């Protein structure tokens, strides 16, 4: 049975179940990739300060609107607040800078990228700042999640964002946020694939009326180009015998099976591709259902294997920054 193509957020807005993700989309091709994704039918584009391609993303959106492919109101555009701008007074200025980079008046969704505050880096010094300060050190900031969230709520009140959400939160942090939030997070974005299902966290969020979005739906695939040993050691999900068997049974690609596994459980996905055929295939994941046995077989693949972990990238990140992964 075909699924709804959107999720109704607790903010009242509709978010597409399938979006186009901008992580690691290079600057040279980004505008074209965004334009082509919109032309292919994508209506959600998921970006971030840290991706370093917001100007080009906005150019792709502007060209699609100019060419009459869509109206702004047809699109659901997402960006994220980086760790270096968590201090309350820094939140609105950086959001306005990001909107200017995109060429927008508002974001449909603005997400706290990590529950980590880092020392402020002036955008005139380096932008995006990454994890290090102006001296090349990873220096924790002093802003609490509550301070940052309160400032994000003011973005909604000021019309700069229609919905706000969080990313990379564990259950205890999400539970604490809900105790003081005047505006509840509309979404939770997490690493989510058959090797890392985080079922308890996803269920808790959904039970609280918070939509869940999966990133890295293909597991280790996204991390191989980062020369990550954990990704090299893991069997590729796109080539996994169980996934390939299910794909062949349904006449679909392994990527479509992985994306449908998520969307069938009402988890949104944000894959990317610069290949026209794969763009279309990744979007076409709502018109078929996996069987109960398929879902059970995929569920048995869970290893609790997280790739987006600072320890996988650098051993020099201090415990105070890594702690959110360990709790």
């Amino acid at each position: 049975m075909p699924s709804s193509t959107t999720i109704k957020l607790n903010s009242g807005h509709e978010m597409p179940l399938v979006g186009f993700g901008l992580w690691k989309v290079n600057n040279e091709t980004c505008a074209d990739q965004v334009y082509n994704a919109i032309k292919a039918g994508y209506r959600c584009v998921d970006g971030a300060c840290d991706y370093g391609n917001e100007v080009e993303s906005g150019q792709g959106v502007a060209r699609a609107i100019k060419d009459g492919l869509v109206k702004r109101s047809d699109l659901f555009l997402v960006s994220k607040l980086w760790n270096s701008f968590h201090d309350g007074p820094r939140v609105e200025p950086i959001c306005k800078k990001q909107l200017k980079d995109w060429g927008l008046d508002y974001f449909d969704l603005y997400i706290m990228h990590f529950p980590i505050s880092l020392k402020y880096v002036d955008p005139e010094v380096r932008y995006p700042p990454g994890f290090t300060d102006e001296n090349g050190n990873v220096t924790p900031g002093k802003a609490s999640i509550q301070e940052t969230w309160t400032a994000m709520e003011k973005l909604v009140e000021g019309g700069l964002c229609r919905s706000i959400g969080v990313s990379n939160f564990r259950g205890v942090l999400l539970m604490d946020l809900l105790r003081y939030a005047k505006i509840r997070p509309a979404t939770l974005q997490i690493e989510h694939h058959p090797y890392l299902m985080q079922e308890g966290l996803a269920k808790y969020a959904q039970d609280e009326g918070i939509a869940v979005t999966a990133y890295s739906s293909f597991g280790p695939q996204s991390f191989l180009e980062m020369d990550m040993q954990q990704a090299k050691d893991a069997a590729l999900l796109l080539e996994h015998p169980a996934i390939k068997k299910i794909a062949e049974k349904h006449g679909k690609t392994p990527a479509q099976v992985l994306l449908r596994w998520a969307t069938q459980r009402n988890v949104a996905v944000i894959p990317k591709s610069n290949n026209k055929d794969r763009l279309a295939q990744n979007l076409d994941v709502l018109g078929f259902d996996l069987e109960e046995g398929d879902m059970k077989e995929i569920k048995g693949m869970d290893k609790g294997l997280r790739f987006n972990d600072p320890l996988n990238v650098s051993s020099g990140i201090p415990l105070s920054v890594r702690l959110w992964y360990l709790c």
Side-chain angles (χ1 to χ4, degrees), residues 7-11 164 166 170-181 183-188 199-212 266:
I7 298 176
K8 183 70 171 287
L9 301 180
N10 59 30
S11 59
I164 49 177
V166 294
R170 296 298 186 94
V172 66
L173 291 178
L174 189 59
M175 186 180 297
D176 187 58
L177 172 59
L178 292 176
R179 296 182 190 279
Y180 54 76
I183 299 176
R184 292 168 70 86
T187 67
L188 167 68
E199 278 194 300
L201 175 58
K203 184 178 187 306
Y204 173 69
Q206 290 176 331
D207 286 350
E208 288 291 337
I210 301 168
V212 176
N266 215 33

Side-chain angles (χ1 to χ4, degrees), residues 96-273:
K96 286 182 174 179
K97 172 183 166 37
Q98 291 175 258
L99 285 168
K100 183 178 179 182
D101 286 348
W102 278 83
L104 301 175
D105 297 321
Y106 67 91
F107 287 123
D108 294 278
L109 175 63
Y110 194 58
I111 295 173
M112 190 186 306
H113 205 150
F114 287 93
I116 299 171
S117 171
L118 293 177
K119 182 182 176 182
Y120 173 70
V121 176
D122 191 318
E124 296 295 326
V125 173
R126 187 176 70 250
Y127 189 84
F131 273 93
T132 58
D133 61 23
E134 67 276 11
N135 298 314
N137 300 316
V138 181
T139 306
K142 296 182 179 179
S144 66
I145 292 174
Q146 183 171 4
E147 177 184 347
T148 307
W149 188 254
T150 299
M152 291 178 67
E153 290 174 328
K154 292 177 181 177
L155 300 178
V156 178
E157 294 165 359
L160 299 178
C161 308
R162 293 193 166 176
S163 303
I164 49 177
V166 294
S167 180
N168 298 303
F169 270 52
R170 296 298 186 94
V172 66
L173 291 178
L174 189 59
M175 186 180 297
D176 187 58
L177 172 59
L178 292 176
R179 296 182 190 279
Y180 54 76
K182 294 179 182 177
I183 299 176
R184 292 168 70 86
T187 67
L188 167 68
Q189 192 171 122
I190 55 173
E191 181 180 347
H192 182 73
H193 46 74
Y195 289 158
L196 182 69
M197 296 187 184
Q198 305 197 75
E199 278 194 300
L201 175 58
K203 184 178 187 306
Y204 173 69
Q206 290 176 331
D207 286 350
E208 288 291 337
I210 301 168
V212 176
T213 297
Y215 69 76
S216 298
S217 294
F218 305 145
Q221 191 77 31
S222 300
F223 298 90
L224 286 174
E225 63 193 68
M226 300 170 68
D227 200 33
M228 185 179 290
Q229 191 60 47
Q230 288 81 356
K232 293 178 182 178
D233 292 341
L236 293 179
L237 283 170
L238 294 174
E239 298 176 8
H240 195 287
I243 300 298
K244 291 177 72 175
K245 179 185 71 174
I246 294 169
E248 289 170 4
K249 179 170 67 172
H250 290 276
K252 301 295 180 180
T253 68
Q256 287 176 307
V257 168
L258 291 168
L259 296 173
R260 184 57 181 144
W261 168 76
T263 59
Q264 191 164 315
R265 292 160 39 251
N266 215 33
V267 173
V269 293
I270 45 173
K272 73 170 189 291
S273 178

